[in-house]
mmCIF file with all atom_site columns, all heavy atoms in Angstrom:
data_model
loop_
_atom_site.group_PDB
_atom_site.id
_atom_site.type_symbol
_atom_site.label_atom_id
_atom_site.label_alt_id
_atom_site.label_comp_id
_atom_site.label_asym_id
_atom_site.label_entity_id
_atom_site.label_seq_id
_atom_site.pdbx_PDB_ins_code
_atom_site.Cartn_x
_atom_site.Cartn_y
_atom_site.Cartn_z
_atom_site.occupancy
_atom_site.B_iso_or_equiv
_atom_site.pdbx_formal_charge
_atom_site.auth_seq_id
_atom_site.auth_comp_id
_atom_site.auth_asym_id
_atom_site.auth_atom_id
_atom_site.pdbx_PDB_model_num
ATOM 1  N N   . PRO W 1 52  ? 96.028  70.447 175.547 1.00 98.00 ? 299 PRO W N   1
ATOM 2  C CA  . PRO W 1 52  ? 97.477  70.348 175.692 1.00 98.00 ? 299 PRO W CA  1
ATOM 3  C C   . PRO W 1 52  ? 98.305  71.177 174.698 1.00 98.00 ? 299 PRO W C   1
ATOM 4  O O   . PRO W 1 52  ? 99.404  71.675 175.185 1.00 98.00 ? 299 PRO W O   1
ATOM 5  C CB  . PRO W 1 52  ? 97.744  68.858 175.689 1.00 98.00 ? 299 PRO W CB  1
ATOM 6  C CG  . PRO W 1 52  ? 96.454  68.153 175.975 1.00 98.00 ? 299 PRO W CG  1
ATOM 7  C CD  . PRO W 1 52  ? 95.414  69.112 175.522 1.00 98.00 ? 299 PRO W CD  1
ATOM 8  N N   . THR W 1 55  ? 98.272  74.454 176.407 1.00 98.00 ? 302 THR W N   1
ATOM 9  C CA  . THR W 1 55  ? 98.861  74.547 177.778 1.00 98.00 ? 302 THR W CA  1
ATOM 10 C C   . THR W 1 55  ? 100.361 74.300 177.841 1.00 98.00 ? 302 THR W C   1
ATOM 11 O O   . THR W 1 55  ? 101.025 74.824 178.721 1.00 98.00 ? 302 THR W O   1
ATOM 12 C CB  . THR W 1 55  ? 98.117  73.585 178.774 1.00 98.00 ? 302 THR W CB  1
ATOM 13 O OG1 . THR W 1 55  ? 98.326  72.176 178.318 1.00 98.00 ? 302 THR W OG1 1
ATOM 14 C CG2 . THR W 1 55  ? 96.753  73.932 178.903 1.00 98.00 ? 302 THR W CG2 1
ATOM 15 N N   . ARG W 1 98  ? 97.651  63.961 179.904 1.00 94.00 ? 345 ARG W N   1
ATOM 16 C CA  . ARG W 1 98  ? 98.810  64.859 180.170 1.00 94.00 ? 345 ARG W CA  1
ATOM 17 C C   . ARG W 1 98  ? 100.079 64.286 179.845 1.00 94.00 ? 345 ARG W C   1
ATOM 18 O O   . ARG W 1 98  ? 101.020 64.911 179.292 1.00 94.00 ? 345 ARG W O   1
ATOM 19 C CB  . ARG W 1 98  ? 98.738  65.243 181.720 1.00 94.00 ? 345 ARG W CB  1
ATOM 20 C CG  . ARG W 1 98  ? 99.618  66.364 181.998 1.00 94.00 ? 345 ARG W CG  1
ATOM 21 C CD  . ARG W 1 98  ? 99.437  66.752 183.558 1.00 94.00 ? 345 ARG W CD  1
ATOM 22 N NE  . ARG W 1 98  ? 100.143 67.913 183.801 1.00 94.00 ? 345 ARG W NE  1
ATOM 23 C CZ  . ARG W 1 98  ? 99.938  68.855 184.692 1.00 94.00 ? 345 ARG W CZ  1
ATOM 24 N NH1 . ARG W 1 98  ? 98.814  68.652 185.354 1.00 94.00 ? 345 ARG W NH1 1
ATOM 25 N NH2 . ARG W 1 98  ? 100.693 69.871 184.862 1.00 94.00 ? 345 ARG W NH2 1
ATOM 26 N N   . TYR W 1 101 ? 100.544 63.952 175.873 1.00 97.00 ? 348 TYR W N   1
ATOM 27 C CA  . TYR W 1 101 ? 100.681 65.291 175.150 1.00 97.00 ? 348 TYR W CA  1
ATOM 28 C C   . TYR W 1 101 ? 101.615 66.268 175.836 1.00 97.00 ? 348 TYR W C   1
ATOM 29 O O   . TYR W 1 101 ? 101.786 67.339 175.319 1.00 97.00 ? 348 TYR W O   1
ATOM 30 C CB  . TYR W 1 101 ? 99.211  65.789 174.820 1.00 97.00 ? 348 TYR W CB  1
ATOM 31 C CG  . TYR W 1 101 ? 98.425  64.886 173.992 1.00 97.00 ? 348 TYR W CG  1
ATOM 32 C CD1 . TYR W 1 101 ? 97.183  64.357 174.543 1.00 97.00 ? 348 TYR W CD1 1
ATOM 33 C CD2 . TYR W 1 101 ? 98.803  64.468 172.825 1.00 97.00 ? 348 TYR W CD2 1
ATOM 34 C CE1 . TYR W 1 101 ? 96.390  63.501 173.684 1.00 97.00 ? 348 TYR W CE1 1
ATOM 35 C CE2 . TYR W 1 101 ? 98.088  63.660 172.045 1.00 97.00 ? 348 TYR W CE2 1
ATOM 36 C CZ  . TYR W 1 101 ? 96.912  63.164 172.447 1.00 97.00 ? 348 TYR W CZ  1
ATOM 37 O OH  . TYR W 1 101 ? 96.149  62.335 171.714 1.00 97.00 ? 348 TYR W OH  1
ATOM 38 N N   . GLY W 1 102 ? 101.972 65.993 176.975 1.00 96.00 ? 349 GLY W N   1
ATOM 39 C CA  . GLY W 1 102 ? 102.924 66.883 177.654 1.00 96.00 ? 349 GLY W CA  1
ATOM 40 C C   . GLY W 1 102 ? 102.304 68.145 178.199 1.00 96.00 ? 349 GLY W C   1
ATOM 41 O O   . GLY W 1 102 ? 103.091 69.210 178.413 1.00 96.00 ? 349 GLY W O   1
ATOM 42 N N   . GLY W 1 103 ? 101.050 68.215 178.382 1.00 97.00 ? 350 GLY W N   1
ATOM 43 C CA  . GLY W 1 103 ? 100.310 69.301 178.970 1.00 97.00 ? 350 GLY W CA  1
ATOM 44 C C   . GLY W 1 103 ? 98.954  68.904 179.427 1.00 97.00 ? 350 GLY W C   1
ATOM 45 O O   . GLY W 1 103 ? 98.357  68.003 178.885 1.00 97.00 ? 350 GLY W O   1
ATOM 46 N N   . PRO W 1 104 ? 98.380  69.610 180.496 1.00 97.00 ? 351 PRO W N   1
ATOM 47 C CA  . PRO W 1 104 ? 97.102  69.195 180.895 1.00 97.00 ? 351 PRO W CA  1
ATOM 48 C C   . PRO W 1 104 ? 95.999  69.839 179.939 1.00 97.00 ? 351 PRO W C   1
ATOM 49 O O   . PRO W 1 104 ? 96.225  70.729 179.283 1.00 97.00 ? 351 PRO W O   1
ATOM 50 C CB  . PRO W 1 104 ? 97.089  69.911 182.294 1.00 97.00 ? 351 PRO W CB  1
ATOM 51 C CG  . PRO W 1 104 ? 97.902  71.111 182.183 1.00 97.00 ? 351 PRO W CG  1
ATOM 52 C CD  . PRO W 1 104 ? 99.013  70.720 181.205 1.00 97.00 ? 351 PRO W CD  1
#
Side-chain angles (χ1 to χ4, degrees):
T302 59
R345 187 173 188 151
Y348 298 121

